[in-house]
Amino acid sequence: MTLAADVPTDAPIITEQRTKAPIGRLLWSELRFMIRRPRTLVALAVLVVAPVIAAVAMSVATTTAANGNGGPAVASVASMVSDNGLILPVFLLLLSLAMLLPMLGAMWSADALAGESQSGALRGLLLAPVGRARLLAVKAFGVAVLSLLAVVVLTVVSIVAGLAILGGDGMLTMSGNVLSFGESLGRIGLLAALVTVQVWAVAAVALAISAATEHPLVVLASTLGGIIVFTILGNIPALDWLHPVLLTDAWESLGDVIRDPMPTDGIVNSVLRAVCYLVIGYSLALARISTKDG
């Protein structure tokens, strides 16, 4: 029989220490998991193909107008894009911001929380000794990087397709003058950054909705429905008092990047509005996931 007095008093006390996985490993694992999803690969493929199709269509319009066919609408498009290939990324970024890019941001936000909640994977993460804020940060990082990647892919492919198919070595601005090749690329890069911030704002709101439901389609429908409603409200003059709080109302000012000189008031206002939506969206998502039990 072993007595308590026989146990050395200076024996080391062994305690179990839990270690956290390095944040870099978590971020890379989440990003790799999201990129490997089939719908992510399909979305990126669409962003590669769309600029090529648009460039070919514009080239056909130019040829048709040169032959005296197509009517005034085709002639107007032809006069704008002929030897002005660098206008293609501007055109596609602004056009995609109306629906395509926000839809992709909302889709990835829906997969990040609601999709994993539906499959039961999120419950395991919430029951594990993982900080809720850390978990949300990892999910938000994956959504942000994929949104940025989507904009970069669309921009780069549009530049290459525009120069290869439409030609030109500069950009004809809305003010009537031509920017140099380097300055044109700078304006395109600025527009890509501005569009990315707007997509991040939409994705932040979608992430807040995703934290509150287990159905990804609800997230997608709610986000896109909100964009449509915001767009309609923004086109009603009687509701001009409401326009300053509508995210989509600031998107029109992004076209100012192809004016020379470039006005900055509308651009700065659009960025500040997007940042407000970012803060609100992530705050609501954190508040919900902090109390979520599965």
Side-chain angles (χ1 to χ4, degrees), residues 171-244:
M171 181 193 298
L172 177 64
T173 67
M174 296 176 63
S175 304
N177 58 327
V178 179
L179 300 177
S180 65
F181 182 77
E183 191 173 0
S184 300
L185 291 181
R187 296 290 184 94
I188 294 171
L190 174 61
L191 178 60
L194 294 172
V195 168
T196 301
V197 173
Q198 301 300 322
V199 177
W200 283 347
V202 175
V205 175
L207 200 63
I209 301 173
S210 184
T213 181
E214 297 181 355
H215 305 286
L217 289 180
V218 171
V219 180
L220 196 58
S222 300
T223 305
L224 298 184
I227 292 176
I228 294 173
V229 171
F230 275 26
T231 303
I232 294 174
L233 295 177
N235 289 309
I236 300 177
L239 298 177
D240 55 353
W241 55 271
L242 184 61
H243 295 174

Side-chain angles (χ1 to χ4, degrees), residues 18-173:
R18 294 177 178 176
T19 59
K20 293 183 178 179
I23 188 66
R25 185 188 301 175
L26 291 176
L27 296 177
W28 171 245
S29 176
E30 177 68 18
L31 185 59
R32 184 176 56 182
F33 174 71
M34 294 182 69
I35 290 179
R36 288 181 174 179
R37 286 192 176 113
R39 51 181 164 269
T40 299
L41 299 177
V42 171
L44 295 177
V46 169
L47 294 174
V48 171
V49 174
V52 178
I53 296 176
V56 172
M58 290 182 176
S59 178
V60 171
T62 302
T63 304
T64 302
N67 295 332
N69 301 320
V74 174
S76 176
V77 172
S79 63
M80 182 175 59
V81 302
S82 180
D83 294 327
N84 192 28
L86 289 178
I87 200 66
L88 181 65
V90 175
F91 172 75
L92 288 182
L93 282 172
L94 294 176
L95 186 63
S96 300
L97 182 59
M99 188 58 67
L100 177 59
L101 292 174
M103 180 185 69
L104 295 180
M107 179 185 73
W108 289 319
S109 293
D111 287 337
L113 293 178
E116 295 197 4
S117 180
Q118 186 180 56
S119 65
L122 184 63
R123 181 175 179 83
L125 294 174
L126 294 176
L127 293 177
V130 179
R132 302 296 178 91
R134 194 175 193 225
L135 174 63
L136 180 62
V138 171
K139 297 296 182 182
F141 172 82
V143 174
V145 171
L146 283 183
S147 300
L148 174 61
L149 178 62
V151 175
V152 170
V153 169
L154 181 63
T155 303
V156 172
V157 177
S158 298
I159 292 174
V160 175
L163 292 175
I165 298 176
L166 299 175
D169 57 358
M171 181 193 298
L172 177 64
T173 67

Side-chain angles (χ1 to χ4, degrees), residues 253-266:
S253 62
L254 300 184
D256 290 341
V257 298
I258 55 173
R259 297 183 186 273
D260 192 37
M262 181 178 63
T264 58
D265 291 344

